[in-house]
Amino acid sequence: YISIFFFFQAEDGIRDFCLSRGLGDVYKRQIQINDSDSKIIAVRLLEIVKRENLPDLQFKAIQALTHFTSGTTQQIQPLIDKGGITFFINLLNSQCPELFEQAIWVIGNLGGDGAQYRDMILKYGGLDPLLKIVDSAQKQTTIKHGTWALSNLCRGRPLPDFRLVVKAIPTLGRVLINSEDPEVLTDASWALSYLSDGDEARIQSVIDTGVVSALVRHLDNPLLSILIPCLRTLGNILTGSESQTNTVLEAGALPKFFQHINHERRAVRREVCWSLSNVTAGTPEQLQQIIGNQEYFQKLITLCKTDCTEIKREAIWVICNSTNQGKPEQILILCQNGILELFNEFLDADDVKTVAVILEALFNIISCGNDHYQENGENAFLAHLEKINCTQKIEKLQHHKSEEVYNKAIKILETFYETDNII
């Protein structure tokens, strides 16, 4: 039995191990453990940690179990079967910093192993003592480790039950506002990106922490591990109500978005475009903040014409959304800045969603022309589409393999054109 224990004693605590992390992924502190006899080892160590009459031996066993929980799911399961999760949740309430620090590592490792263990920790009440530790922590290392463990409990797919993690939002918000530690900011921002992914109630719970200004401030951070989750969280908030969207805009997010619209990393440009598409889908007043700025709008047009296919598609969505709620004078500005020519070019695209959303935008524009922009009894926008040979392309889309594209093309032709050539 003693030889089993010393197998783990070679390393002095898991704190020294490197991170293994991908952007947005739940992750664990990782080491290598031999699969042989893992069940026997786990059970024996759990027996030792319960021997409070031998505190030194108990602490070494807890250290060993901390190592153990960075292994594979198969290696961890025997520990779970013997009540390991409940034991380490209880250990979070210890008055001994060395013990609850080890418990934080275990809870973080288990939460990072997958949704099954994460949800067990949450259902068994593991969040409350962890929040208490982070909220009262004076040591930076405790804040760092606690935030990492919190992050693993709040994210992943499928998302955890929001009712079980909502109490973590104020703590994560405070950490993001007050910390300058890159690892802490990474963990807190990714957790908030998951927690803000949902309905307006979820979004409001994030806004209520006062974290929006900090999220915007961190858009200046050069680290992608911080920049991308902050963009994602702000994008989530922008999907909310008019007032929730205004919270982001009033915090000065737009200049930051356009600062990154030509970022060298495609993932950043994609997140920026998604956020902007949520703005242009909003009220006319929100839309005006983009199309009323000639520099912003021209950057979008350039992105549509020059970037890779994926980003072109995202940028097209930004502009197409502008036609949904835009006032007539805003639609006119869009057309004067060349979006009809842009749409005409992209009607030949292979991507079905791109073609479909352009057809929907064209319907909105032509409808606006019918109601507000007649020249000598003729729809000015429709006349321009015919001039640039866009009408012929719409007619050809009657033969498109996609039913969605076909239906949208037919809707335009039946509503605004003579119907002789419709099939």
Side-chain angles (χ1 to χ4, degrees):
Y1 292 111
I2 297 301
S3 61
I4 293 175
F5 176 72
F6 279 98
F7 170 81
F8 290 101
Q9 203 174 5
E11 298 277 315
D12 185 23
I14 198 170
R15 295 185 191 87
D16 295 330
F17 293 132
C18 297
L19 304 184
S20 176
R21 174 186 312 191
L23 288 181
D25 294 332
V26 173
Y27 60 92
K28 298 172 64 180
R29 271 56 168 172
Q30 294 189 354
I31 61 170
Q32 297 297 320
I33 299 176
N34 194 323
D35 280 336
S36 63
D37 296 325
S38 61
K39 181 176 181 179
I40 298 174
I41 295 170
V43 173
R44 179 59 179 144
L45 286 171
L46 198 57
E47 291 174 355
I48 293 173
V49 298
K50 296 177 181 179
R51 298 176 65 177
E52 297 181 0
N53 60 319
L54 297 172
D56 290 341
L57 183 61
Q58 181 191 38
F59 181 67
K60 289 297 184 182
I62 291 171
Q63 282 187 311
L65 281 174
T66 305
H67 288 256
F68 201 88
T69 56
S70 67
T72 66
T73 301
Q74 291 75 19
Q75 292 165 339
I76 295 171
Q77 189 59 48
L79 179 64
I80 305 300
D81 293 340
K82 291 295 182 178
I85 286 181
T86 301
F87 173 80
F88 280 101
I89 289 175
N90 290 334
L91 203 62
L92 287 173
N93 292 307
S94 171
Q95 298 302 308
C96 176
E98 289 79 8
L99 293 182
F100 70 63
E101 284 276 4
Q102 292 295 319
I104 289 172
W105 283 104
V106 173
I107 294 299
N109 280 333
L110 293 175
D113 191 78
Q116 179 184 4
Y117 296 159
R118 177 202 68 192
D119 292 345
M120 289 175 68
I121 293 168
L122 292 171
K123 290 176 181 178
Y124 294 167
L127 184 64
D128 286 344
L130 188 56
L131 291 174
K132 183 178 179 181
I133 291 172
V134 176
D135 287 337
S136 61
Q138 299 298 316
K139 291 172 55 181
Q140 182 60 32
T141 52
T142 303
I143 295 173
K144 179 186 295 188
H145 303 157
T147 303
W148 162 72
L150 276 178
S151 182
N152 278 355
L153 295 181
C154 293
R155 59 184 183 172
R157 301 292 182 183
L159 290 172
D161 185 336
F162 186 67
R163 294 169 297 180
L164 298 178
V165 293
V166 63
K167 288 190 289 187
I169 294 177
T171 297
L172 290 165
R174 284 192 294 272
V175 167
L176 192 69
I177 291 169
N178 297 320
S179 179
E180 294 298 331
D181 183 286
E183 288 185 34
V184 173
L185 293 175
T186 295
D187 292 328
S189 56
W190 273 116
L192 287 173
S193 75
Y194 281 91
L195 290 168
S196 60
D197 183 8
D199 59 24
E200 293 179 7
R202 292 178 73 122
I203 291 170
Q204 192 60 45
S205 65
V206 173
I207 292 175
D208 288 343
T209 66
V211 77
V212 171
S213 294
L215 289 166
V216 172
R217 171 165 52 88
H218 289 306
L219 295 184
D220 289 328
N221 198 302
L223 294 176
L224 292 180
S225 60
I226 297 171
L227 173 59
I228 289 178
C230 286
L231 282 169
R232 180 79 55 81
T233 305
L234 290 168
N236 287 340
I237 296 172
L238 288 167
T239 66
S241 67
E242 177 182 346
S243 63
Q244 290 170 337
T245 297
N246 284 336
T247 300
V248 175
L249 298 179
E250 291 166 2
L254 272 185
K256 306 288 188 182
F257 290 157
F258 280 96
Q259 173 184 321
H260 291 300
I261 200 168
N262 294 316
H263 197 281
E264 64 180 358
R265 294 298 294 267
R266 181 173 59 183
V268 174
R269 302 196 303 277
R270 182 176 62 243
E271 294 290 342
V272 167
C273 286
W274 179 66
S275 293
L276 292 174
S277 71
N278 292 327
V279 177
T280 57
T283 66
E285 292 74 23
Q286 292 165 350
L287 170 61
Q288 186 63 28
Q289 295 188 47
I290 294 178
I291 69 171
N293 186 310
Q294 188 66 19
E295 180 183 357
Y296 289 173
F297 194 74
Q298 286 306 313
K299 283 185 175 183
L300 282 171
I301 294 293
T302 301
L303 207 64
C304 290
K305 293 180 177 180
T306 62
D307 214 310
C308 65
T309 300
E310 178 187 8
I311 304 303
K312 285 180 178 179
R313 178 175 64 244
E314 296 296 328
I316 283 286
W317 272 85
V318 177
I319 296 175
C320 287
N321 281 356
S322 303
T323 68
N324 292 327
Q325 302 296 329
K327 294 180 179 179
E329 56 269 28
Q330 292 175 318
I331 301 296
L332 179 60
I333 290 173
L334 294 172
C335 293
Q336 290 172 339
N337 280 278
I339 69 163
L340 293 179
E341 288 79 4
L342 184 71
F343 289 169
N344 185 44
E345 178 182 347
F346 277 88
L347 281 178
D348 296 323
D350 294 329
D351 184 71
V352 170
K353 289 295 183 182
T354 298
V355 175
V357 75
I358 288 174
L359 288 172
E360 186 174 338
L362 284 173
F363 185 91
N364 294 336
I365 291 170
I366 299 171
S367 296
C368 177
N370 261 10
D371 296 336
H372 301 282
Y373 296 104
Q374 296 278 340
E375 295 178 1
N376 300 319
E378 185 177 19
N379 184 325
F381 298 151
L382 196 60
H384 190 71
L385 289 173
E386 292 177 349
K387 181 180 179 181
I388 62 176
N389 298 317
C390 187
T391 302
Q392 291 90 325
K393 289 188 177 181
I394 297 173
E395 290 176 346
K396 289 181 180 179
L397 291 175
Q398 296 175 91
H399 305 281
H400 200 279
K401 60 183 179 181
S402 165
E403 185 176 355
E404 182 182 14
V405 170
Y406 163 78
N407 287 332
K408 290 183 183 296
I410 288 293
K411 183 179 179 181
I412 291 175
L413 294 172
E414 288 182 339
T415 305
F416 303 113
Y417 292 89
E418 297 293 333
T419 59
D420 293 345
N421 295 327
I422 298 177
I423 59 173

